[in-house]
Amino acid sequence: MIQNPIYVTQPYMPPLEEFIPYLQQIWGSKILTNNGPMHKNLEQELVEYLNVPEVALFANGTLALLTALQVLRISGEVITTPFSFVATAHSLFWHSIKPVFVDIDPQIFNLNPEKIEAAITPRTTAIMPVHVYGKPCDVENIQRIADSYGLKVIYDAAHAFGVQYKGQSLLSHGDLSTLSFHATKVFNTFEGGAIICPNAKTKQQINDLKNFGFHDETTVVAPGINAKMNEVQAAFGLLQLKHVDQAIARREEIDRLYRKELEGIEGITLPSLPEDTKYNYTYFPVLVEKEYPLTRDGLNNRLREHGIIPRRYFYPLISEFPMYRGLPSATSQNLPVAHKVAESVLCLPIYPALADEEVAKIASLIQGNYT
Ligand code: T4K
């Protein structure tokens, strides 16, 4: 048994004593959920921190995706990426919307805009791209296509907390963006998520939908769901927010260390950092190519034998799961780049508490020093 394995990520935990006053306030107010004071404050603080018009908090990122689709009344077919966490396509499935998978860009691993138009049919109503690893999609070209075909754009921005692109929040692109605040994310509320929306009217509709559709005490305007974030989660978010810049700065240092240590290893490709972007360093993916002495899975196993637990995000592709693989767009001929990336990617540990020596140990193992 390996003691203290190094996982792909570890949540950033602020000092426990700093959380006690928040809990005391909750105990005092006895407001535990349903848009309480912590929830209101966190929404306001996130609007300012993220520099976006409106934030609606959610119990998790998947419910945020489901509600984003519902509020925009998306139906029929939606163009999306197979290279993501399965929740992206599942949100479509839950609304009986057909996902249409389009291949990804070989450099940035996001939906390739050049492939989108060929996948549009009369039933297409929206595009749901993902800013994979927090790296911006080609938002300009995606918007251009959406505008010329009258499609909505919902960004699954689960990984893109705090990312700025060309000097503005990446989250303000498209009609809506959704975030995940799961424990494994740069900013977490244990479980949690949000929809970023452009105006107060849409936010009100979203608020109704996440509270069973109640608009007021006696009016139910739509078949909504219970997707509310509770007060303890929101309080943890308020505390996290005080530390998040420092946490991202440490991630950046780790990213730099990895790049220095792993540069020039034959068969290990380090995907480039995004251009014109203030990035959040949420994942550290590498590609294990055929020139490397081990296969990707071989390296994954070798690291695990030494107590390092990387992850193959995102293998298998969503299009390979049983509920999607029968779709015409799910064939491997349609998705050659996504298949190649999914078969060679390995996400190495990156989180604020990871020590320089641990990064050096991981790099040394990848350099081939296995003893
Ligand atoms: N869209 C995208 C693009 C997403 O990536 C996700 C979620 C969503 C939508 C949906 O958002 P949520 O509904 O989840 O808010 C994890 C997360 O569960 C998931 O949130 C995330 N994406 C996905 C990429 O990763 P797993 O199955 O890999 O998690 P797990 O439990 O294996 O955790 C990974 C490692 O993290 C563990 O080996 C140890 C460490 N860990 C994990 C947890 C939960 C901790 O140290 N502490 C913890 O509490 O899915």
Side-chain angles (χ1 to χ4, degrees):
M1 243 320 253
I2 300 220
Q3 298 291 318
N4 303 325
I6 299 174
Y7 292 109
V8 67
T9 188
Q10 187 186 84
Y12 175 74
M13 301 300 284
L16 181 57
E17 58 278 13
E18 289 185 22
F19 196 41
I20 305 296
Y22 292 85
L23 293 177
Q24 283 167 334
Q25 277 184 54
I26 295 171
W27 257 246
S29 73
K30 299 184 179 52
I31 304 291
L32 307 188
T33 186
N34 287 14
N35 199 22
M38 297 291 174
H39 186 284
K40 285 199 181 88
N41 283 347
L42 182 57
E43 285 191 341
Q44 190 47 44
E45 289 203 12
L46 285 173
V47 161
E48 283 158 30
Y49 180 84
L50 298 171
N51 193 19
V52 292
E54 299 282 350
V55 173
L57 292 173
F58 276 77
N60 60 59
T62 305
L63 287 166
L65 279 171
L66 276 168
T67 305
L69 290 162
Q70 189 179 12
V71 78
L72 294 181
R73 297 175 177 272
I74 305 299
S75 62
E77 294 178 4
V78 169
I79 290 173
T80 191
T81 171
F83 189 70
S84 180
F85 190 60
V86 73
T88 309
H90 277 358
S91 69
L92 300 170
F93 195 104
W94 274 91
H95 283 295
S96 303
I97 295 165
K98 182 170 159 190
V100 175
F101 297 112
V102 160
D103 209 0
I104 59 171
D105 175 277
Q107 304 304 328
I108 211 84
F109 309 158
N110 291 329
L111 205 53
N112 186 342
E114 286 174 18
K115 309 278 176 186
I116 292 177
E117 285 189 80
I120 296 174
T121 76
R123 286 172 50 76
T124 310
T125 56
I127 308 172
M128 188 187 267
V130 181
H131 301 299
V132 176
Y133 309 137
K135 298 181 185 179
C137 291
D138 183 347
V139 289
E140 290 92 357
N141 275 318
I142 289 172
Q143 196 59 53
R144 188 184 48 74
I145 296 165
D147 289 344
S148 59
Y149 289 86
L151 306 176
K152 301 281 189 203
V153 181
I154 299 175
Y155 281 103
D156 180 340
H159 305 171
F161 184 88
V163 175
Q164 287 174 32
Y165 175 62
K166 295 189 177 167
Q168 73 174 105
S169 172
L170 180 61
L171 305 170
S172 44
H173 288 276
D175 293 276
L176 297 173
S177 289
T178 66
L179 286 165
S180 165
F181 304 152
H182 182 261
T184 53
K185 299 296 190 290
V186 163
F187 169 84
N188 90 81
T189 57
F190 285 43
E191 293 269 1
I195 298 181
I196 309 302
C197 69
N199 54 54
K201 182 168 172 243
T202 313
K203 164 132 191 238
Q204 183 57 55
Q205 291 168 337
I206 291 168
N207 281 349
D208 295 349
L209 288 174
K210 77 180 189 192
N211 186 29
F212 311 96
F214 274 108
H215 185 63
D216 58 35
E217 210 177 307
T218 53
T219 321
V220 174
V221 290
I225 200 162
N226 180 0
K228 293 169 271 115
M229 177 181 280
N230 70 49
E231 287 291 279
V232 177
Q233 285 173 284
F236 192 72
L238 284 167
L239 177 55
Q240 280 259 326
L241 208 48
K242 293 189 196 301
H243 296 268
V244 74
D245 284 335
Q246 204 188 331
I248 292 173
R250 175 62 191 150
R251 286 173 174 277
E252 183 176 3
E253 280 173 14
I254 294 168
D255 183 290
R256 207 176 307 127
L257 265 178
Y258 269 133
R259 283 177 195 278
K260 190 165 138 250
E261 301 273 349
L262 297 176
E263 169 116 56
I265 301 179
E266 199 176 5
I268 297 289
T269 301
L270 308 178
S272 53
L273 283 167
E275 288 171 14
D276 296 326
T277 302
K278 184 170 172 292
Y279 185 47
N280 64 6
Y281 304 91
T282 176
Y283 292 91
F284 193 87
V286 300
L287 298 183
V288 186
E289 318 266 13
K290 59 179 185 319
E291 296 76 18
Y292 190 72
L294 298 174
T295 61
R296 184 275 307 271
D297 289 353
L299 177 59
N300 184 24
N301 293 337
R302 185 63 60 84
L303 290 172
R304 283 169 184 244
E305 284 160 15
H306 288 80
I308 318 294
I309 322 289
R311 290 297 285 266
R312 293 168 293 176
Y313 295 132
F314 291 100
Y315 169 86
L317 294 173
I318 301 178
S319 47
E320 294 293 293
F321 290 119
M323 62 299 292
Y324 303 114
R325 67 181 170 221
L327 292 169
S329 64
T331 60
S332 46
Q333 300 90 297
N334 188 43
L335 307 167
V337 181
H339 273 274
K340 185 167 182 295
V341 176
E343 276 150 30
S344 53
V345 73
L346 198 59
C347 287
L348 302 180
I350 185 165
Y351 51 86
L354 191 67
D356 288 3
E357 306 75 61
E358 292 173 316
V359 177
K361 176 184 166 186
I362 296 165
S364 166
L365 286 166
I366 297 172
Q367 284 155 3
N369 306 313
Y370 301 129
T371 49

